[in-house]
Structure formats: C-alpha cells, structure tokens
Amino acid sequence: MDNAITLVNKKHINLWPAVLGGGALIILGLVLGGVINQYIQTVLMFIGINIILSASLNIVNGYMGEFSCGHGGFMLVGAYTSSILSVLFFTKSPWLGAPLLPPSSAVFLFPLVIIGGGIVAAFAGLLVAIPSFKTRDDYLAIITIAANFIFVSLVNNLEFIGGSRGFMGMKTTIYAMEDVADLPFTLIWTMVFSTLSVFLIRRLMRSTFGKGISSIRHDEISAEIMGVNTNNMKIVAFMVSSGLAGIAGGLFAHVLGFINPSSFNIMKSTECLVMVYLGGMGSLSGSVLSAVVFTFLLEVMRPLQILKWVIIPLMLILLMQFRPEGLMGNRELTDIFPKLKPYFKRRDL
Amino acid sequence: MRKALLAVVAAALLLMPTVLFANGQSDEKVIKIGFNIPLTGDSPKVGEGTKFAAEIIKEQINGEGGLEVGGEKYMLDFIYVDNELKAESAVSAAYKLIEQDQVLAIVGPDTSSRAIPAGQVANDNRTPLISPWSTNPNTTLDRPFVFRACFLDPFQAPVAVKFADSEFGVEKAAIMYNLEDDYSKTLAGLFKDSWEAINGPGSVVAFESYGQKDQDFSVQLTKIAASDAELLYLPSFYNKVAMIVPQAKDLGWDKPVMGSDSWGSADLVKLSEGAVKGYYFTTHYAAAGAKGATKEFIDTYNAKYGYVPDDVGALSFDAVNIVLQAIQDAGLTGDLKADRVAIKDAMTAITSYPGITGNMTFTPEGDPIKDAVVVKVNDAGEFEFVANLQP
C-alpha cells in the first residue's frame, strides 16, 4: 500500500503551486502585454476578493455548520484598519501630516498593511466567537447580524475617519508603489492573497484541528464527549473566517480608493452568503467556483439593467429547487473528477 | 444530470470572457458618451431621470441628423451602464465605459458615494466626467478631469440661512438631520455655523439626529417642540421628510420648516399627505412657473414620460449639454486620448453656460457657480419658485 502511494506521488507531483503560479503569471503577462485592459483587471480583482469572502465564510457556514450573516462587518473592520494604516504610513494623513515612512517603502510593506487589517478583523471576530460558546443556530445568526450593525454604526459615528462621509486617500499608496515599479500591484496582491487564503483554508480544514471544526457541524455534544475542545474550535473558526474577511476588505478598500460604512452593510453580508450557498456548503472549490461565476454573471449581465435582478434571483431559485446542496454540494472538484486527485494530493498524507 | 450541469457551467465560463472582451464597433461618425447611473438598487428613479433627460437630447439631435462638430455631423451614441447604487459597481462601470466602450466622456454617477470613487477612475484614466447631482466637495477636488453640474453642499446651507433670515426674521432655529447620511450631516453642520454667525452663539437651540432606518421621531421632535425654536431646518431625504413632518405637526409644531434639495421629489407631497404644504426648500430649479428652455424641457419630458422631471433630470440635461458644447468647442480628431484631453480643456474653458437650471460658470476645480433657487410647496402641491439667491 505504501508503495502504491509513493508510486503515484512520483508519477504525479503536486500540481497546485504550478497551476496557480502559472495562471497568475499568464494573467500578469496578459496585463503587461496590454491584452487585459483595466476593466477586466477590475473584474478579476473583484473575483479575487469575492473568492476570499466566500471561502472564508464557508469555514463558519459550511464546515462548522453555524449561520453567520455578518461577514460584511468584518470586511469593514479590515477595510478601515488597513486604509488607516496605509494612509498613516505612506501618505500625507489628516492626523499626523507627513507620512511616517517613505512612501516608496509601500512596495514591500503593503502586504503587511493588508494583513494588519486582517488581524484586527480577526479579533473583531471574537465578538461573535465568544457568544457562540453558548448560542447556536438562529440565535447566533442574530448575534452576527447585530455585530454587523455594531461595526457599521460605530464607523458612522467616528468623525475622525469620516463617519458616514467615507474615507479616502488609499489610492495615493498605490500610486507610490507604481512610481517605484510600473506594475499592477493591486491585481498582483489580490491574486496572491486569494490564493494564499484558499491554500490556508484547505490546509486548515484538512488538518486534525479542521476535522474538529467539522465535527461541530455533525454533532457538537458527541464531539465534546470525544474530547474535542469545541470552544477552541469555534474561536479559531470565527477568527480565521473574520480575519480573511478583513483581508478581503483591505484589498477592496485599495481597489476602490474610497470606502464608506454603507458599502459593508447587511447587503454585502448577504452577497457573501449567496456565494457560499451557491457553491455548496463545506466545499472549498465550490466557494471558489461560485465566487467566480457570481462575479462574472453580475458583470456580464450589467447591460440587462433591471432584468438582471429578475434573472439572477430566478437562477438562484431554480438552483435551490433542483440542486439544494449548491453547485458542488459538500464535495470538492477532485470528487467530481477523480482523475484530478493525484495532482492535488497532499504528499504528507 | 451532473454531466449536463457541468457542461452548462463550463460553457458559461467559456462564454463569459468573450462577452467581456466584446468591444463595440467604432464608427467614425459617432460620438459615444457613457452614463454611469443607478438604474437598479435603492433609488432607480435617480438614474431614470438622468437617462430620460439624455434620451430627450439624443432624439432631438439625432433627429436633426447629428451633432455638428467642425463642419461634420456626428450621430450621438449614449451608453447607459447601471451602477446599482454601489461604490464598487460604479468603479467597474467607469472602467467599462473608459476601456471597453471607449467613450469620449462620462456623465454620472449622480450621487456622491458613487461619484467619488468613479471620479477617481475617470481622472486616473484621463477621461472627462461630469456628475449631475453629486454635491460633495471631494468629487472634484484635485481632479482636473472631473466636473459637476450642481452647486456644492457648502453653498445650500448659507442660502437657506439667508432666506430664513429675510423671510421669517426669526432668531432661534432647531435642526434635525440623518446621522448616517453624509449629505444630511454636512448640511446640518453648515446651517448651524451660518445661523450662529448671523444670530450669535446659542441661537441653534436644538440639534437632533436620527438613524437611517428610524420610523419614529417623537423623542427628537418632542425636544424640538418644547424648545423655543422658531424654525426647523430639515436637510433630509424626501421619504424621511414625509415621515418627520406629519409627526412634528402631531406633536404641536406649527412654525415654519425649511429643507434642502433632497426634498425635491414628485413623491414628497404624496407621501407626506400634504403635510409639507407651505414649507420652503432650497434647490436647483423650480418646475412650476418655469419659462423658456426650462419650460420646453419640462413639457417634452412630461409629454414623453408622464411626469414632471425632478431636479436630477434637469441637471442631467445641463450636464449632457455641457459635454456636447465642449465637444463642439474642442473638435474631434479621431484620436480618443487626445480628444478626451481636449474635451476636458474645453469644459474648463466654458466661462458661462446658460443652462436650464440657471446660468453657470466653472471654477478651476470644475464646480459651477450658480444661483440656488428657493421654492415653496404651494397649496396645489407644486414646487413654486420664490427666489433666486447667492449666499
């Protein structure tokens, strides 16, 4: 048996990095070659951001089986944190005046700014993680909605970051980066972060720890009896989920160059939910696929105007009628195409 | 089932890029102007107003054989892109118009939260953009390619103060505003400052706020009614005004109320069941009693679409005409990039434009200098012209 596995692994090396790296390089080449214009780049960036959002929400809604509908709130925390950091460090800020660091250093430090937003959002996730120890299902869902409202109202009332007026100035950081090297930095970092997020979630959910998270969905009490520290699992699941949403928010803020609290209200959270249920709960490749399909569909149907909002909900209704488990159910791409399996197998399994 | 589904998904995925890449054929005798407007979402009426106003211009000019630029006739091609009233959507829409549809200039987005990010995109890509209705100073600030057709927020509040001072001659005012709405908050703050500059500190006796989803305003209104305020300033959207004013009257408020241009919707009187009659607000134009080109526009619009245009319709009419004027001034070379810059220069160079919402000149920031109009909601429920004012 051992021999067989070694043989397979020798024949088919893990193709994940090659496929992703190659794809990213091709896109980059097309961008630099002028084949992909900025409109398509923007769509690609929104796809990347939506991949992070739907995949990260899937940790809680899919794998852990809770119903969180406040993802937009964590996105807001990440977006505002990284925007403030970015403006404070690399541009002339309204609070401190001169940038704290030379603007050109943004080339190297930009990912840290985004990750900083993610970390703060992860801690914001505790706001729903701790109540989740004793609350489940509908009641927890209400808490997550409340969390979303709390964050939106909080920013609405914080005058020094613009309140409802919104916050801007992040684009200057991007310009500073482009002054150093003329590359599509936002696109590159969106691709990098969405790939890393998917990779991180895959590793997490395949680990023993991740199986503990899944066990909560199957039966929380049995899991506890079996020795799974469910509170721990919940904290990790919520923090990773909201932290990644924060990263998505940071990228979103830097793509737009302007954020206001109403961009992250319950509508945004609903959008994330739709993507998760469209793709299939507990299916990582489903979340990725649905983020791509959903973003593309919204963009392609833009010329249809009002009809778009007839067609898309209708498609969702039909999908739920005939395929209630979503596009992929709880399976992965490799379950549907078993031949792909060796290419995506973890070598240390 | 599974195979069929996969085939459909695969086919859709393959088709999508081709749709995205699809590029409109460029005909040399066509002037393409993009519209980045909300046709779906929370306020589709706003986008509709812009679209209908633009359609009127297009039909008229194309009916005459096209727009004459440098001795040649060009047909107008207006491309309407829906921004769903979402900031990210407005950004994609702006990129689509600039890169995909290769438009010469963009009209819209109408509202500031969309116009600020979309204006950034237009300015970065050196494409002239004019927003008909965005009143936030940040939209045009430090952006040579971005213009607007309306006055700024800081302008309306002093006008309202000046009018209230001369019309009612009162000294104590109460203000009630929407905390979650940038527009409302800005105006409330500015009104307070200008009021206190005239009537001395402490003359604003109540400064109350409410939230976006609030339905019941009795707490704030009781305070206001109990204060010795002689005027209520209410810079809120018409749907809120329609809720607040009747509640204020129930609580015993019988003194005047003043509002801002967000009152200017045909639905205001209907929703408030006439409670707003006799009150005043500052706005961009007055439909009742209009004359000349303004009347002509209102009549055409009313005949075609069955209702009197809101101010966003009238402002869009002016915005589109300013763009067309600039195209005529600049001439067309066929080189898109050079033409866009030339149009921007021509728009900057327009010193005076006789629009249907008043004469306007542009400051170097791309903001017009024009009169505000004070209108009264008369007993017939029409918005009646009262005065033209500068602060």
Side-chain angles (χ1 to χ4, degrees), chain A residues 77-306:
Chain A
V77 174
Y80 269 89
T81 311
S82 62
S83 302
I84 292 167
L85 288 176
S86 157
V87 167
L88 207 57
F89 282 119
F90 309 121
T91 72
K92 235 177 75 188
S93 65
W95 313 291
L96 289 177
L100 293 178
L101 294 169
S104 56
S105 63
V107 177
F108 309 106
L109 299 177
F110 178 70
L112 294 183
V113 164
I114 299 291
I115 291 171
I119 291 172
V120 176
F123 281 100
L126 285 174
L127 192 65
V128 287
I130 292 169
S132 78
F133 295 166
K134 293 197 170 164
T135 321
R136 292 216 62 172
D137 305 331
D138 307 1
Y139 305 100
L140 186 60
I142 292 168
I143 291 174
T144 59
I145 297 179
N148 196 336
F149 275 107
I150 289 172
F151 294 131
V152 171
S153 310
L154 184 72
V155 176
N156 264 329
N157 287 287
L158 287 179
E159 217 38 69
F160 75 102
I161 48 170
S164 54
R165 235 155 272 173
F167 185 74
M168 58 194 293
M170 298 79 86
K171 274 275 171 189
T172 322
T173 307
I174 306 293
Y175 299 146
M177 287 159 74
E178 282 169 355
D179 283 346
V180 176
D182 194 13
L183 289 169
F185 280 104
T186 33
L187 180 66
I188 294 172
W189 284 116
T190 312
M191 289 197 296
V192 168
F193 276 111
S194 53
T195 315
L196 286 181
S197 309
V198 173
F199 204 67
L200 173 84
I201 296 170
R202 189 180 124 94
R203 298 291 291 220
L204 173 69
M205 296 325 296
R206 288 216 167 174
S207 66
T208 321
F209 204 93
K211 297 210 162 86
I213 294 177
S214 289
S215 72
I216 295 179
R217 178 187 62 204
H218 294 301
D219 192 333
E220 191 174 341
I221 296 169
S222 318
E224 213 156 333
I225 294 168
M226 297 292 285
V228 177
N229 184 343
T230 51
N231 286 358
N232 243 348
M233 300 295 153
K234 284 174 179 171
I235 286 198
V236 169
F238 273 111
M239 283 183 78
V240 171
S241 169
S242 54
L244 290 176
I247 284 176
L251 292 166
F252 180 86
H254 283 85
V255 171
L256 255 63
F258 169 83
I259 44 174
N260 61 349
S262 57
S263 298
F264 304 102
N265 61 12
I266 196 85
M267 282 307 293
K268 192 87 213 169
S269 306
T270 315
E271 229 171 73
C272 304
L273 282 173
V274 168
M275 284 190 284
V276 170
Y277 291 99
L278 182 70
M281 288 199 289
S283 164
L284 189 55
S285 39
S287 308
V288 174
L289 191 68
S290 73
V292 175
V293 171
F294 186 72
T295 321
F296 254 126
L297 275 183
L298 284 185
E299 203 51 52
V300 169
M301 291 195 184
R302 196 186 283 281
L304 298 180
Q305 293 167 10
I306 197 87

Side-chain angles (χ1 to χ4, degrees), chain A residues 37-40 42 46 156-157 159 164-165 168 175 258 260 268 271 296 302 305 308-309, chain B residues 16 20-21 39-40 81-82 84 86 88-89 92 95 99-100 113 120 124-125 179-180 182 185:
Chain A
N37 65 28
Q38 279 188 301
Y39 169 53
I40 294 169
T42 317
F46 286 135
N156 264 329
N157 287 287
E159 217 38 69
S164 54
R165 235 155 272 173
M168 58 194 293
Y175 299 146
F258 169 83
N260 61 349
K268 192 87 213 169
E271 229 171 73
F296 254 126
R302 196 186 283 281
Q305 293 167 10
K308 175 166 101 173
W309 297 112
Chain B
M16 279 164 189
L20 274 183
F21 275 105
L39 293 165
T40 62
V81 178
D82 175 24
E84 304 159 44
K86 287 197 286 194
E88 69 264 38
S89 204
S92 314
Y95 275 121
E99 299 273 351
Q100 217 70 27
S113 305
Q120 180 79 55
D124 289 349
N125 291 283
L179 184 72
E180 288 172 46
D182 152 35
K185 202 154 88 177

Side-chain angles (χ1 to χ4, degrees), chain B residues 104-106 122-123 125-130 143-147 322-323 325-327 329-331 336-350 362-366:
Chain B
L104 276 171
I106 298 175
N123 196 49
N125 291 283
R126 304 169 74 76
T127 306
L129 178 146
I130 181 164
R143 292 174 178 171
F145 281 85
V146 183
F147 303 82
I322 288 169
V323 171
Q325 173 75 49
I327 291 174
D329 291 351
L336 188 66
K337 281 191 173 156
D339 282 345
R340 283 174 176 169
V341 176
I343 291 168
K344 172 221 121 189
D345 291 341
M347 279 170 82
T348 319
I350 293 177
F362 285 96
T363 65
E365 286 82 47

Side-chain angles (χ1 to χ4, degrees), chain B residues 36-92:
Chain B
N36 186 345
I37 48 177
L39 293 165
T40 62
D42 276 351
S43 58
K45 273 275 175 201
V46 172
E48 190 186 87
T50 301
K51 186 180 171 181
F52 286 171
E55 284 292 303
I56 289 175
I57 296 175
K58 188 172 107 179
E59 272 175 30
Q60 196 202 341
I61 289 180
N62 282 355
E64 291 164 2
L67 185 76
E68 194 172 319
V69 183
E72 281 190 86
K73 292 261 187 183
Y74 289 83
M75 296 301 270
L76 294 181
D77 183 11
F78 288 173
I79 299 161
Y80 305 102
V81 178
D82 175 24
N83 67 28
E84 304 159 44
L85 209 72
K86 287 197 286 194
E88 69 264 38
S89 204
V91 165
S92 314

